[in-house]
Structure formats: C-alpha cells, structure tokens
Amino acid sequence: MTLTTDQPTSASPPTGAQTPTHQVALTFEDGVTRFVTCREDQTVADASYRQRINIPLDCRDGACGTCKAFCESGEYDGGTYIDDALSAAESADGYALPCCMKPQSDLVLQIAATSDIAKTAAGDFNGTIVSLERLSESTMRVGIEIGNRSDLAFLPGQYVNIAVPGTEALDAGGTRTGQQLRRSYSFANGPQEQRLIFMVKLTPGGAMSDYLTDRARRGDEITFTGPHGSFFLREASRPVLLLAGGTGLAPILSMLRKMHDDNSARTVHLIYGVSTDTDLVALDEIEYFARALSGFTWEHCVSDPNSSAVNKGYVTTLIRPEHLYDGDVAIYLCGPPPMVESVRAHVADAGIAPVGFYYEKFALAVPGAARQGAPIGDGGDSTTQEISAITPVIDEDPVIPARDARGIAGQQVLALRDIGSYEQHAAPLLDDGAITRIAGQQVWSARGVGDDLDPDGGDLLAASRARCIAGQTVFAEVGTATVVETEPVVETVPTVTEQGYEIGEEHPGIHESDALFEARAALELGALELTIGRMTSRQLAGYRLLAEATLPYVEGDSFVDAAEYTETNAAFHDYLFGLTGNDHLLDAYQALGVKGRMGEVLRNATWCHPLCAQDHIDIVEAFASGNRDRARAVISAHAERSKQTMRRAMSDEMASRRPRFITPGRFAGKVVIVTGAAQGIGAHTARRISAEGGRVVCADRSELVDELVSDVTDLGGQAVGSIADLETYDGAASVVATAIDTYGRVDVLINNVGGAINFKPFVEFTDEQIRAEIDRSLMTTLYACRAALPSMVARGSGVIVNVSSAATRGIHRIPYSAAKGGINAITASLAMEYADNGIRVVATAPGGTQAPPRRISRGTPTPQSATQQQWFDAHIEQTISSSLLKRYGTLDEQAAAICFLASDEASYITGSVLPVAGGDQG
C-alpha cells in the first residue's frame, strides 16, 4: 500500500508543499472562531471555501465588497479591487477583502456575519465509502469521506458508532425499532486528515462483516455518530508504551499519525499482538513511522504456535523492564478484555505502577441482547467477534434423538443396551457421618430424610474438619505469607457504552497531587481540541464569568478563602468538559476527584501560586482569540502551578502538625488522655506527647479525631480515639473506660475541651446561651476530673492538667470568663484535696492563639450587623492589647506549657495556673 498523511514528506511532496502556509482565524459575530490554513499564493476566501467555511461572498474579484472584514492582526497582500468595494480610508483602518487578500503571516479576521453554531458535541454525520481494502482474509480497511469534515473534531484514540446499512435493530422485546444496527470503530487516521479510516475484523455472521464482504460498494452512503470516548493520547513528554491487540491497532495508528503531524520526538515503543499470521496487517504503515519518528520503535508477536513470526506468544512476553521506566511511563492499551487484564497483572507483578494506564476494551453485551439484535460491539475495538464465541449461551432446549448418535463415520461403536436399576445396597460407611459433611458442616441427610442438619451459627470450624469434603482432605494445610500492603492504584470507574466499549484509566496514588493535576491537564488538552474555535459567544461569556469568579479568593500569593477558591475553581474546570458534549471525557475528569482532593489539602492553606487564578482568565482569552498554542501553554503551566500550590499546602500542613519542640522519652510508658483533641491546641498537644513516647487517648465529639489517631500511628506512635460528648458525665466516663480497657490505666488527664461560643456584651446573652457557655467550658472539665480520679486514687498517682484562659479578665465573653474562672478554682481545690493521694492538679491559661481554621464549629453565629461585628472585633483587640508581646501565641507555645506541667519535670508544681499569654496574667 501507499501510506498517505496530511503532512508533506520529503520523499513525495504534494503540490504546493514548498509554498509557505499560514493560519487564518475567522471570528464571526456570534463569537465562533474558525481556522483555515491558507497558502501565500491563495486568497483567504478560496482557502475558506475549500475547507468548507462559507464566508459571505458575492464575487471573487474585489468588485462588490460583500466579504469585507476587519483584520485584527497579521500581515497580508490586499490584492486588486475597485474603490467601491473597499475605500482607501477603510483600507487604512485595517479592513480588507478576503476574496482578494493573501496572507503573509498568521491572520485574525472579523467576519461581518454570524456562523452556524459549531458542534461541540458528538454529532450525526453522513458520508460516502470511498475505499474498501482487504488487508487480509480477516481484516478490512474502510475509507469514508464526509462533506462537513471541518465539523468533525476528534482526538486520536476516539471512536464513532457506525450504522450498518441494510440492518434493523430489535428492542428488548424483539420488536423492530426501525433503526439500523450500530457498531463501534476507532479512527485509524490522524485528526487533521480529510479521509476517515477504520479497520474492521471480519467474522462470518457479524453484521458489519457481512455487509462489508457481501454488499458494500464504493459510493455507498454511510452514517455515524461521534466522536466518543476518553481513550486518547495525552500531552506529555514522558515515554509511551503502546499495546495493540488485533484491530485494536486502529486507535494506536491514529496516535502515531498525530505524533507524526506534531513532529514529536517522544520516546514511544509499540507492541502489536495478533492471534494468527492472517490477522497481522498494516506492518508497512508501522514501519513508515519507525523511519519517520526518531523516538519510535516497535515489535510484534503472534500467539499461534505455528506462526512464521519471530516472536510467538502474547504481548506480555515482549514487555521488558526497559519499556516501563520504573513507572515513569504512560501505557496505552487497546484490545480484548483478557489482554487488558493480562497486561495489568503483568505490570503489577513487575512491581511497577505506571504514571498513566489508559485502556480501551470491549465489555460484551448479554447474549440475549445479541440474539435480539440489540446493538453490540463487534468484539474488541474494531474487532469482530460474535458474542457466543466468548460467552456461552445456555438454552433450555430438549435433547433431540439422532439415528447416528451411536456411530462414528457410520460405524456403530456404542451398542443399544437396557440398563436396569441397581438392586444391591451399599455397605454402611463407618465414618461418623463424614460423608454428609463439607468443611465439617453437615449439609445433607445420610438417608435423605429424617436427619437434622447442623445449625449454622456462623462460627469458624476447627481446621482439622474444615479441610474435608465427605471425609476426604482436599485442602491441605499450608503456610501463608504475610500480606504486604502496597500503594493503592486508583482506577477511574470504566465507561461502558451501549456499543460495548469499555474505557478507563488508572494512575498510581492518584491522590498524589502531581499525578492528579497531570491527569487533569491531559484531559483538558483533549477537551481543548474539541472546543477551541467552536464556542459561541454565549459559551465564551459563561466561561469568562466562571474564570472571573475565582479572582476574589486569591490576593498576591495568598488565599483569601481557600474553600471558596476550591469551589469556584472546580466550576471553571467542569465547564470546559461540559462544552465538549462528550460524556466519557466528563466522566473521566470527574472520576479523578480533583475538587475533593483540593478540598482536603487546601483547607488550611494560606499560600497560592500568584498566577493560578489569573491563569483562568488567560485560558479564556486564548479560547476567545482562537489561539490554540497559547491555550495549550497556559493549561500546561496552570497544571504546574496547581501542583506547586498543593505541594506547598501539604508541606505546610505537615510542618504545622510536627511539634517544633520535643523532649524525647519524656512520656515514655505514660497513658495520657487529651480531650478536645480533634484540632487546635488539643491535637498539637497529643502529637507532642506521642512524639515523646506517650500512649494517647484522643477524645472529641467529632469523628475527625480518628484522623489524628491515624497520623500518630502512621508515625509509629500509640494512640486510640474515643468519640464522646464530654458535656455529659456518661461521655467523660466512656473516655476513661476506653483508656483503661486499652492501656490499663490513666497517668495524665489533659482537659483541653472548651471555648467561647458567643462574643457580645453580657446583657445581650440569653439564659440558654449562658448555660451553653458553662456546659462547654466548665462542666466538661468537672465531669472528666470526676471520671478519671477514682483510678488515679486507686493507683496512688496521677496528673491533671486543666486548660483555663487569660480571658478570665476580658470583655464580651463574660459567661466563658466565668467558666474559666471556675477551672482555676477546680485546679486549686482538687490539688489541695488529692495531694495526699499522689495526684497533682495544675492548669495553663492560654491567651489568643493562632491556629488553622476550625474544622469543627464552636457554634459561633456569623455577625448579622455592623454592631455585632464590632463586638467581635473588640474582643480581639482587647486580647492583643492585654498581651505585653502584642501578638497571638502559637500552638507549639501552648503545647509546650501543657506538656511541661504534665511531665515529671513539674513534679513539685501543683495547684498553680500558668499564664501562657505573652504577659497577660488574666
């Protein structure tokens, strides 16, 4: 065959290949921008019409002025025309006549007309078969041309659903639908090529196979819908491993053509596998790319042991370690389901988690649907396999007698014989009923009736009996290796289409931010190819609106509100995928879970790359101007900046969780309860005690405390969570019980839970609000002390550290101040009462403390008026002014004081309250 591409080759340059060409952007009044490629010896109008973009035109020689357009940018030769068509003043102002002008650079023209709305979704297309080429006995290559080729934008790897001429589909009830059967095939041509190419595996009885072999002729009309799918070549520089099974080669060829068009230097290796030598096709096409692409290599294999191929076997036999780059590789795989699963297992067994694992396979439709004429895929991508050949169809049909059933080649070998009933009785089996048991459990009666079966209580049976069936050991006892947990590979939920395509992708540890944003950028670059130059003015306006919505939440290199930025950022990125009209792309993007991951990582973030929000605006502007290269560059740069923002947030979060000061071994062997441990001072104190060897019971009313426990244990510490309402005695008692049940005792109780709820003048408090402050900040400590003291008294030792507040002298939180004053009284009185029992009771009095935004609200209402805001601000000003150091403290500074008082270093301190408020004595 002769390979053709839309890119000139040095071997056979097409006509005009030596003439420079330029891109001309035609911007219509309704906001749609279309692009045409125009040679310097060609008018813009001619190029437009040849590429089926019909700009306004009444003449073709500069006589009427109908095509008059404003040139926003670029250089051109205006050509020859009459003054009535274009005046000298208009020409000086930048107007030109596309029917006369010839470009000397890239141009942007404003066309004084609206365009037909460019399709951004999968559409219906009508075409004509222009070539039918039998590549082998088993494979046909079909060429189709459509009149509106410029309306069909697709990505290399995507597919269409082709209606099979002369067929009619049936619904689930067997009723004719009046619709043609449809089969799915991937593009084998490049996105820029005019002729559409598809490869079809021929199987007798297949709907498309029968049409192509029996009825198809050049000139036949053909219809299809598309494009579909999220299996496409992602933009990246890392190496690529391409794996093709059978006519799964088609989308791989489309990818190679795209790389050829782009002059890609990317390192690419292809392994092409088929069943028989007959199925081996397009080798000359692959060999062309091996010569044309500097980084491309390939090899093939045939599974038939009688093949003449050098490599006999399956594609996995050719996957070598050097193809996997220790995981820094993107794998694209198209073939039948067993091939996909085999490759997946092979790569996993090699201990490799590739950065990207993209696959496309056929999920077979149910046999019943196949018999009823429901549309199904003809096998693996473009591979025609009948359903019954893979999934057996079991019918309840009667046995049909045959006269020659007892013979072979006409010779009777099985004589007819009457077989009577067996008159003897089996000797009794003295096996203690083993014959009636499976895995030690009696499951049927030895006599058929009368015996009671063993009740199944769900308990595990002894191994000696559980390994037997009917008294015979069938499961030998073997040693089992310890299960080693590996890093999870997160797989997007595969998309299975009505045509049988299954498309999916996997990324190792997708919650690692770098992989996450690389995957998003790859999908966005695909979405760009489907939408740029095809958006309406209304769509662009909506896109710009969403971009601008992200701006208020970033100022310089700081988040103003990270949560709101996450929300608006997600809306911006969702929009582009929605515009593609491709549900598979949207599903693939949403399956990444970008918004959720950002919400987790950025919840306490303060730093943001200063260009992240501006990138959104720049992306929209690139789309509006039709500047594909600029849009691609900004999307890629935005992914890098997003990764930097996430890395910084994770680094800052880890740094904030690590105690700044540690005294190793200070709490070795100690059992310490920390209340209010889910966040703030409590969480930081628990982390430090664990780092110093303590065993921590983390108590809180929120399940978020389990995250703290997980963090502590991941670092090798010992911790257990206890979720309880400490505003009740039962809640406090349950926490102490957890400590004793888990560790046998309580050495230290740190009463951290509490906090002001309302901030306003005392006369504004209601009775219920006063009670709520007391319950939150006094009763919690009182109940916890009552619950913990009995075990401490019994052991003759213990330490209680209460967390009071410098706000015992402050404004606009009087009930809270009273509660904390009560804490001071509890501290002094309990210290006196239980000193003889070896129990110390001390307290710290924190001042204002910097901490990440609260994840668990105290219930503080949002100020509803300027006055309420002034009340709130006044308490902050008073807190800072009362501190001699004129600042807020840090979590490390508060935890340091608490841990000191809780340790044996403070063994001679009891009954005291230590202010930790920058000189504010409270």
Side-chain angles (χ1 to χ4, degrees), residues 649-850:
M650 288 186 286
S651 175
D652 290 348
E653 179 72 12
M654 291 302 297
S656 70
R657 292 179 180 181
R658 287 191 299 268
R660 182 181 174 191
F661 312 111
I662 294 177
T663 304
R666 183 164 58 170
F667 287 97
K670 301 274 189 180
V671 178
V672 183
I673 294 174
V674 181
T675 70
Q679 58 188 349
I681 294 174
H684 216 69
T685 300
R687 292 180 193 279
R688 177 161 181 178
I689 289 172
S690 173
E692 296 182 359
R695 292 176 285 181
V696 189
V697 179
C698 303
D700 204 283
R701 61 189 169 97
S702 170
E703 294 181 355
L704 291 176
V705 77
D706 291 336
E707 294 182 12
L708 171 65
V709 172
S710 178
D711 287 347
V712 168
T713 55
D714 287 347
L715 293 173
Q718 297 184 59
V720 63
S722 181
I723 298 173
D725 180 4
L726 293 170
E727 293 183 15
T728 67
Y729 177 74
D730 288 345
S734 72
V735 171
V736 174
T738 296
I740 293 174
D741 291 345
T742 305
Y743 299 121
R745 65 182 189 277
V746 177
D747 294 309
V748 179
L749 168 65
I750 297 175
N751 286 310
N752 168 72
V753 70
I757 303 171
N758 293 283
F759 301 88
K760 55 187 176 181
F762 185 46
V763 296
E764 298 292 334
F765 278 81
T766 66
D767 177 56
E768 290 180 354
Q769 290 171 340
I770 292 173
R771 182 69 213 185
E773 301 281 1
I774 300 301
D775 287 343
R776 174 72 56 81
S777 296
L778 175 61
M779 301 307 297
T780 49
T781 295
L782 202 60
Y783 287 142
C785 289
R786 173 64 183 84
L789 275 168
S791 67
M792 290 183 175
V793 170
R795 293 185 62 249
S797 66
V799 178
I800 296 175
V801 180
N802 297 321
V803 178
S804 180
S805 174
T808 49
R809 186 173 64 91
I811 64 170
H812 291 176
R813 50 199 189 282
I814 300 303
Y816 171 74
S817 300
K820 289 303 185 180
I823 297 297
N824 294 347
I826 291 172
T827 300
S829 298
L830 285 180
M832 182 175 292
E833 186 168 322
Y834 287 96
D836 291 344
N837 298 100
I839 299 170
R840 293 190 300 112
V841 184
V842 289
T844 65
T849 304
Q850 282 186 329

Side-chain angles (χ1 to χ4, degrees), residues 302-388:
V302 181
S303 60
D304 183 357
N306 298 317
S307 168
S308 61
V310 174
N311 301 311
K312 298 178 181 65
Y314 300 100
V315 294
T316 51
T317 63
L318 297 180
I319 300 176
R320 295 183 290 275
E322 58 265 30
H323 299 144
L324 300 177
Y325 297 89
D326 292 326
D328 188 26
V329 63
I331 298 176
Y332 293 85
L333 167 59
C334 187
M339 176 184 170
V340 173
E341 297 310 316
S342 178
V343 170
R344 191 202 311 270
H346 179 84
V347 173
D349 290 345
I352 298 296
V355 169
F357 185 87
Y358 308 96
Y359 64 87
E360 185 169 61
K361 64 182 179 181
F362 264 84
L364 302 176
V366 296
R371 292 194 301 272
Q372 294 162 0
I376 58 174
D378 276 349
D381 170 65
S382 305
T383 304
T384 306
Q385 290 177 297
E386 290 308 300
I387 293 298
S388 59

Side-chain angles (χ1 to χ4, degrees), residues 410-456:
Q411 178 69 37
Q412 181 173 319
V413 294
L414 300 171
L416 180 64
R417 178 178 299 174
D418 291 329
I419 301 177
S421 61
Y422 186 65
E423 300 295 339
Q424 300 181 32
H425 296 282
L429 179 63
L430 301 178
D431 64 350
D432 192 27
I435 195 67
T436 67
R437 300 175 182 274
I438 294 178
Q441 178 77 30
Q442 183 172 339
V443 293
W444 61 79
S445 167
R447 295 186 298 275
V449 294
D451 291 353
D452 292 331
L453 301 183
D454 287 348
D456 182 5

Side-chain angles (χ1 to χ4, degrees), residues 797-915:
S797 66
V799 178
I800 296 175
V801 180
N802 297 321
V803 178
S804 180
S805 174
T808 49
R809 186 173 64 91
I811 64 170
H812 291 176
R813 50 199 189 282
I814 300 303
Y816 171 74
S817 300
K820 289 303 185 180
I823 297 297
N824 294 347
I826 291 172
T827 300
S829 298
L830 285 180
M832 182 175 292
E833 186 168 322
Y834 287 96
D836 291 344
N837 298 100
I839 299 170
R840 293 190 300 112
V841 184
V842 289
T844 65
T849 304
Q850 282 186 329
R854 298 186 63 85
R855 298 176 65 192
I856 311 161
S857 173
R858 287 178 176 170
T860 302
T862 302
Q864 299 298 310
S865 67
T867 298
Q868 291 179 0
Q869 185 64 54
Q870 289 170 1
W871 291 340
F872 183 84
D873 294 343
H875 101 273
I876 295 176
E877 294 171 4
Q878 179 263 306
T879 299
I880 295 175
S881 64
S882 297
S883 167
L884 301 182
L885 298 181
K886 305 303 181 190
R887 68 171 176 86
Y888 269 32
T890 68
L891 294 178
D892 280 302
E893 289 168 335
Q894 298 299 342
I898 293 170
C899 291
F900 165 69
L901 291 176
S903 73
D904 292 341
E905 293 175 305
S907 58
Y908 197 54
I909 301 174
T910 191
S912 300
V913 177
L914 174 62

